[in-house]
Amino acid sequence: GESVGLHLPTLSVQEGDNSIINCAYSNSASDYFIWYKQESGKGPQFIIDIRSNMDKRQGQRVTVLLNKTVKHLSLQIAATQPGDSAVYFCAENIKGGSYIPTFGRGTSLIVHP
Amino acid sequence: DTAVSQTPKYLVTQMGNDKSIKCEQNLGHDTMYWYKQDSKKFLKIMFSYNNKELIINETVPNRFSPKSPDKAHLNLHINSLELGDSAVYFCASSQEGRRSSAFFGQGTRLTVV
């Protein structure tokens, strides 16, 4: 997994720009990945998922790319809006008995009007 | 109609006290979880529970214990609270399986003084 630094990674963008949030995952056997959005004062919410037999999946204004070779995920948000400001997490379901959603560090996205 | 609800939303208590946080899900999910989110927004799994097994993160102190009266509830009991227990605690649920995403409650902000 990623090393834990002192600060939450932050991405600042202007409204209307495209945003790209990156994530490295730890388990090469993982075959299902999820992106979550956490707004201030709320719990994480599902945005989009992808299975390991795909390398790209698109939703409404969001696209997830998966590179299994380097164990890397990215979340692309098109035409970023102020309402997209939140902390974004990638997660993988890791087997420990049951499958347990296991989260990466998180990236804070700040959208400036 | 809240899918995953936890109470209380805020909890301020003194060191040494014992407290509980309640969680209920109305999604019919098989598996429930407790996560701890620290000040750097890192989400760490504490427990995973379904009707077959309880999986405990080995780093969680045994002062923390989950209690499940039925499939829809997973409460978190904390004994002898310490300052370092201050954090936001999230309950979540999902269907059992490798390709399930988790639904989260709103979180409980615990402050130990």
Side-chain angles (χ1 to χ4, degrees):
Chain A
E2 294 182 85
S3 60
V4 178
L6 293 176
H7 302 288
L8 182 68
T10 299
L11 175 65
S12 289
V13 300
Q14 289 296 126
E15 183 178 0
D17 287 351
N18 296 333
S19 302
I20 300 175
I21 299 170
N22 297 304
C23 176
Y25 63 92
S26 57
N27 189 342
S28 56
S30 294
D31 66 354
Y32 179 67
F33 305 90
I34 314 117
W35 279 98
Y36 290 88
K37 174 186 181 182
Q38 185 180 20
E39 296 176 282
S40 180
K42 297 184 179 179
Q45 287 185 298
F46 172 93
I47 303 173
I48 190 168
D49 58 1
I50 189 168
R51 297 186 181 189
S52 61
N53 61 353
M54 305 170 71
D55 53 20
K56 180 179 179 179
R57 189 165 189 221
Q58 287 185 291
Q60 187 176 13
R61 284 201 306 117
V62 295
T63 300
V64 55
L65 299 178
L66 173 61
N67 185 331
K68 293 182 288 294
T69 303
V70 295
K71 293 191 285 188
H72 183 269
L73 281 162
S74 67
L75 177 71
Q76 301 177 1
I77 305 174
T80 314
Q81 302 168 359
D84 295 327
S85 294
V87 178
Y88 290 81
F89 296 92
C90 66
E92 55 186 309
N93 282 0
I94 292 182
K95 186 160 177 58
S98 299
Y99 285 92
I100 298 173
T102 302
F103 286 75
R105 287 187 58 196
T107 296
S108 176
L109 175 65
I110 299 171
V111 183
H112 300 282
Chain B
D1 217 14
T2 307
V4 181
S5 60
Q6 54 183 109
T7 56
K9 188 169 172 62
Y10 300 97
L11 181 55
V12 181
T13 187
Q14 290 187 324
M15 282 174 54
N17 283 350
D18 303 338
K19 290 293 179 185
S20 296
I21 306 172
K22 295 185 176 181
C23 179
E24 176 182 4
Q25 55 97 3
N26 62 6
L27 298 166
H29 285 165
D30 303 296
T31 307
M32 296 184 72
Y33 313 88
W34 279 103
Y35 287 83
K36 179 180 180 180
Q37 187 171 48
D38 62 19
S39 58
K40 300 182 187 68
K41 300 294 187 182
F42 184 61
L43 270 165
K44 185 177 83 170
I45 184 71
M46 301 176 70
F47 304 101
S48 166
Y49 182 78
N50 62 26
N51 58 3
K52 299 170 193 169
E53 62 187 339
L54 170 65
I55 299 171
I56 302 171
N57 184 324
E58 62 191 15
T59 67
V60 174
N62 59 15
R63 298 181 294 103
F64 290 78
S65 58
K67 297 282 194 302
S68 181
D70 56 57
K71 185 178 161 182
H73 296 83
L74 184 66
N75 303 325
L76 182 65
H77 295 266
I78 316 168
N79 294 327
S80 303
L81 277 154
E82 300 177 358
L83 293 177
D85 296 333
S86 296
V88 181
Y89 292 85
F90 286 99
C91 176
S93 71
S94 73
Q95 288 286 28
E96 188 177 356
R98 64 193 302 152
R99 299 194 183 106
S100 295
S101 60
F103 288 73
F104 282 79
Q106 294 278 64
T108 296
R109 181 173 291 279
L110 171 66
T111 304
V112 183
V113 299

